[in-house]
Amino acid sequence: MRPIRIGAAQGFYGDTIEPAVATAKAGNVDYLCFDCLAELTMAILRKDQLKDENLGYTRDITGAMKALLPYVKEKGIKLLTNAGGLNPVGAQQEVLRVAQELGITDLKVAVVKGDNIFEDMEELMDSGISFDHWETNESISTIKDKLLFANAYIGAQPIVEALRQEADIVITGRTTDTAQFLAPLLYEFNWEQDDWNRLASGVFMGHLLECSAQSTGGNFSGDWQDIEAMDQIGYPIATCEPSGDFVVSKVEGSGGLVSPETIQEQMLYEIHDPSAYVTPDVVVDITKVQFEQVRDNEVKVTGVHGKPKPEELKVVMGYENGYMGQVIIGFSWPDALAKAKKADQIIRQKLKRHSLDYEELQTDFMGYNSLHGPLAEPPGEDINEIYLRMAIKTASKREAMKFARLFPPLALNGPPSMGAYIGNIPPRQLVGMWASLIPCEIVERNVDVHVQEVFVNA
Amino acid sequence: MPNVQLKEIARARSGDKGNTVNIGLIAKDQAWYDTLVHQVTSKRVSEHFDGLVEGEVTRYELPNIHALNFVCTEALGGGGSSSLRLDNLGKCFASNLLRLEVKVEKNKVD
C-alpha cells in the first residue's frame, strides 16, 4: 500500500488560503484538510446566524473553494473541512454555488449532520442527561435559559462514510479538530476501529497539522528570528504509512521550518494530560513519541500509543453572558503611566457617581502590562507612551455604551497630552462556554451523511 | 549559583480550552530537563501566576521530549469569548512563564 499524503489547509476561520494553494499545486497531496473551528469561532458563527439564518458557517469557505476547487478536478485532491460550523448545509450549498460559478461539474459534496443538539436539549434533559458542567459539576439550570448553541464533538467515522460514498468534498459541523485528518487514513488503510495505536497516530498527525503553520515555524518561541520567509510560510504536509508512522514536511521552497523543535511546540499546544488526550476516536498517549529529522524540513514521528475511545462525547454550549464595553486612550511622555493612572481614577470615580451598573471592570496599561497582567515589570520613567485601556462587563448593551461616553471629555478635562482616542469600539456580546458530556450512542444515532452532486446548468 | 530566566534554557507555547490554559515548557537542551523538573514545580508556577491564574496548576512530565506541561484552571477571566482580558486566549502565558528564574551552575550557561 502506498503512503497517503495529507496537507493542512487552514488552522482557523480567517487563516490565509495561500499556503494550501501552494500545497495543492506542488505538494503532491491526496487530501487537504481544514480545521476552521475554535470555541471562540462557534460564538462568532452563532452571532452571524442570529443576524441571518442562512449564515452560521465560516464565510471564508467561498474564497477557499474558489482557490481550491480547480485542483479537486485536475488532481483529484479531496477537501475535508469542518467549516460548516452551526450550518453545514448552508456551507454545502455555498460550495455547490461556487462550483457552478466556476463551471465545475461532476463534483460530489457531502455534508455531515448530527453534532448540533441545540434543538434537542429539552428532550435530552427529560431523558435523564444532566449536562452538568464536566469540571465544576455545576447544574446547567444556572445558564439554561440563556443558551445560544450546543454541539457535541463528533469523530472521524461519518467523514469516512462520506468518503466511501465517493465524496470529493466533505463538510461537517463540530467534528473534533483532528477528525478531518484521521478520516482519510481510516478510509485508505482500512484500519480496524479498535486498532488503538494506529488510530492514535492518525489523531496525533491531525493534531500536528490542525493549526497550520504552528508546526512549520509559525508562533515558534525558539530562534524565531531565524525562521525564513514567514511571508510565504508553508503549511505542514504529512506522509502517512499504513503502520501509523508519518513524516511531517512542507512544500519545497516555501518559508518556515520543520524541525523536531517546531513540532514539539505544537505537540503540547492545547494538550492537557499527555498520556490521555481524549478524542471521540481514541485516547492518545504521546509520552513515548519520538522525532527524527530525516532530511531538511522533514521530521519522522513514531511511538504514538492509543487506548480505547471514551463512551461519552464532549458537548460545548455557548450562553449569553452580558456585554463588554471598551475604550482605549493614549498618553505621551513625560509621566505617561502616571497620566494614564490618573485617567483611570477619574473614570472610576465617575462610574460611582453615575451609578452605572456593571459586573466587572478591568484596567490595562498598554505598553506596560496589558499582556502580562500582574506579572509585568514596571516600565522605565522615560517610556514614550502608554495606552489606557478600560473594559467593563455589563448586563445590557445600553450600559456598555454609557461607559464609552465617559471618556472623550478627558481630552480637555483630564491629565495633559491625551494623544490618541481609539474610540467608538462597539460593545461586544460576551458568550460564556459550558462544557459537558453525553453518551456517544445518543448523538451517533442521529448522525447523518448526505451527498449532493453539482448539476449542470441547462 | 546564578539565576537565569527560563527563556535562556527553555521554549514554551500556550493555548486555551474554556477557562483553562496550558503551557508546554520544553528544555532547549536535554541537559536542562532536570533543572526544569526540580525547580519548575506546579507550586512555583502557581505562585508566579498569582493574579492571573485563580485555579489549580497541574504539572505533567514528558521526558521523551524533555518537556513539562502545565495545566492551569480558572486562568482566562471566564474564557476566550467571555473574558475582558486582552490576552483572552492565553497566548502570552508561555512568554510569561519564561520570565521565571531558576538557579543554574555557572559553567552551564554562556
Side-chain angles (χ1 to χ4, degrees):
Chain A
M1 228 181 284
R2 73 175 179 93
I4 296 300
R5 279 171 67 82
I6 294 176
Q10 227 184 6
F12 68 100
Y13 179 14
D15 205 353
T16 172
I17 199 68
E18 281 175 28
V21 175
T23 299
K25 267 187 197 157
N28 191 27
V29 293
D30 305 286
Y31 293 84
L32 274 169
C33 305
F34 296 66
D35 174 30
C36 307
L37 302 179
E39 288 177 358
L40 188 57
T41 316
M42 297 300 274
I44 292 166
L45 295 180
R46 183 56 178 156
K47 287 180 197 175
D48 265 10
Q49 197 183 30
L50 288 171
K51 285 179 206 144
D52 179 350
E53 61 178 9
N54 296 312
L55 296 177
Y57 57 86
T58 64
R59 284 195 262 176
D60 58 352
I61 194 172
T62 307
M65 290 296 152
K66 275 185 186 160
L68 292 174
L69 282 185
Y71 298 98
V72 173
K73 291 312 288 182
E74 280 168 41
K75 300 197 171 192
I77 299 170
K78 290 179 190 282
L79 308 178
L80 312 183
T81 177
N82 58 5
L86 290 160
N87 182 9
V89 173
Q92 181 198 32
Q93 295 310 307
E94 178 62 7
V95 175
L96 292 167
R97 191 192 65 75
V98 171
Q100 275 209 319
E101 195 180 293
L102 297 177
I104 294 172
T105 54
D106 303 326
L107 194 72
K108 287 187 175 164
V109 184
V111 67
V112 173
K113 292 185 290 180
D115 60 297
N116 190 339
I117 58 168
F118 184 60
E119 302 293 335
D120 308 325
M121 288 292 291
E122 288 288 342
E123 199 184 316
L124 290 166
M125 277 186 267
D126 288 346
S127 77
I129 296 163
S130 77
F131 291 113
D132 288 347
H133 197 281
W134 72 335
E135 284 164 337
T136 63
N137 293 324
E138 266 177 281
S139 163
I140 194 169
S141 57
T142 52
I143 55 128
K144 191 172 148 267
D145 298 335
K146 296 186 281 185
L147 276 182
L148 288 166
F149 63 86
N151 294 72
Y153 283 49
I154 58 178
Q157 287 303 335
I159 305 172
V160 178
E161 178 52 36
L163 292 173
R164 286 194 184 122
Q165 294 182 34
E166 298 178 337
D168 301 296
I169 295 156
V170 185
I171 296 161
T172 70
R174 183 68 265 199
T175 45
T176 54
D177 301 347
T178 53
Q180 284 69 237
F181 298 84
L182 172 65
L185 303 185
L186 296 178
Y187 170 66
E188 299 276 353
F189 297 143
N190 277 314
W191 287 344
E192 297 292 332
Q193 288 191 35
D194 61 354
D195 192 346
W196 306 120
N197 286 341
R198 285 191 173 100
L199 293 179
S201 209
V203 166
F204 186 55
M205 177 274 294
H207 175 70
L208 294 182
L209 267 61
E210 72 181 67
C211 291
S212 62
Q214 283 203 152
S215 277
T216 52
N219 222 350
F220 182 50
S221 78
D223 297 327
W224 57 268
Q225 295 98 327
D226 297 339
I227 301 287
E228 286 178 13
M230 271 190 158
D231 61 313
Q232 294 183 63
I233 206 159
Y235 282 173
I237 297 170
T239 307
C240 306
E241 301 290 341
S243 66
D245 293 347
F246 59 93
V247 172
V248 179
S249 63
K250 62 186 179 68
V251 174
E252 212 162 307
S254 61
L257 175 70
V258 182
S259 70
E261 287 75 23
T262 58
I263 294 199
Q264 283 163 3
E265 281 195 24
Q266 177 55 24
M267 167 175 173
L268 295 177
Y269 183 69
E270 293 181 348
I271 291 282
H272 287 183
D273 178 354
S275 73
Y277 173 46
V278 181
T279 77
D281 297 297
V282 60
V283 176
V284 184
D285 178 352
I286 53 172
T287 57
K288 307 229 164 25
V289 166
Q290 296 295 330
F291 301 106
E292 184 196 349
Q293 185 101 46
V294 287
R295 215 168 282 124
D296 273 359
N297 291 310
E298 288 191 25
V299 172
K300 184 169 186 183
V301 182
T302 55
V304 189
H305 289 83
K307 297 180 249 192
K309 66 179 180 180
E311 288 172 4
E312 290 172 310
L313 297 177
K314 182 179 173 184
V315 178
V316 172
M317 292 165 249
Y319 61 93
E320 292 172 20
N321 195 21
Y323 285 82
M324 173 167 80
Q326 68 172 325
V327 176
I328 299 172
I329 55 176
F331 290 96
S332 90
W333 181 92
D335 305 319
L337 179 58
K339 291 169 184 168
K341 283 186 169 170
K342 181 71 179 176
D344 172 57
Q345 266 178 25
I346 293 170
I347 294 295
R348 283 175 186 260
Q349 279 154 352
K350 284 195 176 192
L351 274 177
K352 268 188 213 157
R353 276 213 313 280
H354 291 240
S355 63
L356 204 145
D357 224 4
Y358 64 92
E359 293 165 41
E360 247 181 277
L361 177 66
Q362 166 136 352
T363 299
D364 300 298
F365 299 101
M366 295 168 69
Y368 154 37
N369 71 357
S370 72
L371 297 177
H372 281 211
L375 282 67
E377 301 276 344
E381 280 178 27
D382 277 341
I383 191 158
N384 284 314
E385 59 206 47
I386 286 279
Y387 286 78
L388 167 68
R389 181 255 185 185
M390 295 184 80
I392 196 164
K393 184 178 169 192
T394 59
S396 75
K397 196 171 179 174
R398 241 178 99 203
E399 290 292 294
M401 285 170 86
K402 277 195 217 164
F403 176 64
R405 285 188 216 119
L406 298 177
F407 286 79
L410 283 175
L412 304 185
N413 307 346
S417 66
M418 179 177 142
Y421 170 68
I422 305 175
N424 303 326
I425 304 171
R428 194 170 84 205
Q429 188 184 32
L430 296 171
V431 179
M433 289 290 158
W434 188 272
S436 188
L437 295 169
I438 187 170
C440 294
E441 68 272 8
I442 291 180
V443 177
E444 281 164 1
R445 69 186 177 217
N446 292 324
V447 172
D448 170 49
V449 178
H450 180 75
V451 180
Q452 199 175 336
E453 211 168 335
V454 181
F455 56 87
V456 190
N457 268 338
Chain B
M1 287 203 293
N3 284 350
V4 298
Q5 287 188 312
L6 283 178
K7 101 177 171 54
E8 303 300 328
I9 65 164
R11 295 178 282 111
R13 178 173 295 175
S14 51
D16 72 306
K17 227 170 230 161
N19 201 11
T20 299
V21 164
N22 90 292
I23 311 167
L25 180 71
I26 307 160
K28 281 187 182 173
D29 189 304
Q30 191 151 7
W32 294 119
Y33 180 60
D34 282 347
T35 307
L36 300 186
V37 170
H38 287 116
Q39 296 185 49
V40 192
T41 58
S42 51
K43 184 165 177 279
R44 269 204 83 190
V45 171
S46 181
E47 285 164 3
H48 182 66
F49 280 99
D50 184 31
L52 275 186
V53 172
E54 319 240 311
E56 303 286 313
V57 174
T58 308
R59 186 180 92 164
Y60 298 96
E61 296 176 15
L62 293 102
N64 55 324
I65 60 161
H66 37 89
L68 300 174
N69 189 35
F70 297 91
V71 178
C72 316
T73 62
E74 294 174 63
L76 285 174
S81 54
S82 201
S83 176
L84 295 189
R85 294 190 196 167
L86 281 167
D87 184 23
N88 62 330
L89 298 173
K91 305 274 189 198
C92 302
F93 276 60
S95 42
N96 238 330
L97 180 58
L98 293 178
R99 308 172 82 99
L100 186 75
E101 290 188 351
V102 289
K103 287 189 173 60
V104 294
E105 288 171 42
K106 203 171 178 190
N107 59 4
K108 274 179 130 183
V109 182
D110 294 332

